[in-house]
Amino acid sequence: MNRIYTFISLLFFSVGFSQNLKYKSAADEILSQIEQIEKGAGYNIKLPNSIACLTGIYPKNVDGTYVGIVYYPTLEELKLWRRFVNENHSKIKYKNIPQSDLDSDIFDFREILYEYEPGKFKSNFCK
């Protein structure tokens, strides 16, 4: 019986650990998302909105659709986002969100925060 508990504990630990290894840091996750947008397909349509909320850099090409505001960044705007993330790498962190607090629109369990002043944060989720 003790082996079963040990196995289950190791299983949960390894799943949690592998999730944390997916990206080295929150800034690396944002850079990966920018790369997805650069490729032009296969990304969540709300992804540019979350990056705009975090960085405060909003693309000029916007569409108000049934899913809300959708941004279509240009290559120049993607470069601005990339530069912002690289310059502020140490100020971009994860904040864990309890699963019970998640809305159905949010697919990730972690919020990404940018500390623009000591103790003041912007989120990748527009509020």
Side-chain angles (χ1 to χ4, degrees):
M1 189 66 129
N2 201 11
R3 286 185 178 192
I4 293 172
Y5 289 126
T6 303
F7 175 75
I8 292 171
S9 297
L10 287 173
L11 180 66
F12 282 119
F13 175 76
S14 64
V15 168
F17 188 70
S18 67
Q19 289 295 322
N20 289 334
L21 289 178
K22 187 175 180 182
Y23 301 105
K24 295 177 184 175
S25 69
D28 290 336
E29 181 174 348
I30 297 296
L31 291 172
S32 174
Q33 293 171 351
I34 292 169
E35 288 175 13
Q36 288 177 354
I37 296 169
E38 286 173 336
K39 290 178 183 174
Y43 65 89
N44 183 329
I45 196 163
K46 293 185 178 185
L47 190 58
N49 189 33
S50 72
I51 298 172
C53 290
L54 183 74
T55 63
I57 301 169
Y58 293 90
K60 294 179 181 109
N61 189 3
V62 64
D63 184 14
T65 66
Y66 69 94
V67 295
I69 296 176
V70 178
Y71 294 106
Y72 300 100
T74 63
L75 290 177
E76 187 60 37
E77 290 163 337
L78 291 169
K79 287 179 188 176
L80 289 173
W81 282 347
R82 185 180 297 282
R83 185 177 329 134
F84 176 90
V85 172
N86 286 328
E87 289 174 357
N88 296 288
H89 198 277
S90 64
K91 297 178 182 181
I92 299 173
K93 309 276 185 207
Y94 286 115
K95 174 188 173 189
N96 289 328
I97 304 172
Q99 191 168 3
S100 61
D101 293 346
L102 293 176
D103 294 336
S104 60
D105 292 335
I106 302 172
F107 299 109
D108 202 343
F109 293 98
R110 294 182 291 189
E111 184 175 11
I112 297 177
L113 301 176
Y114 163 60
E115 188 172 18
Y116 60 94
E117 288 182 18
K120 294 185 179 181
F121 299 90
K122 280 185 182 179
S123 169
N124 65 320
F125 300 124
C126 290
K127 297 177 179 166

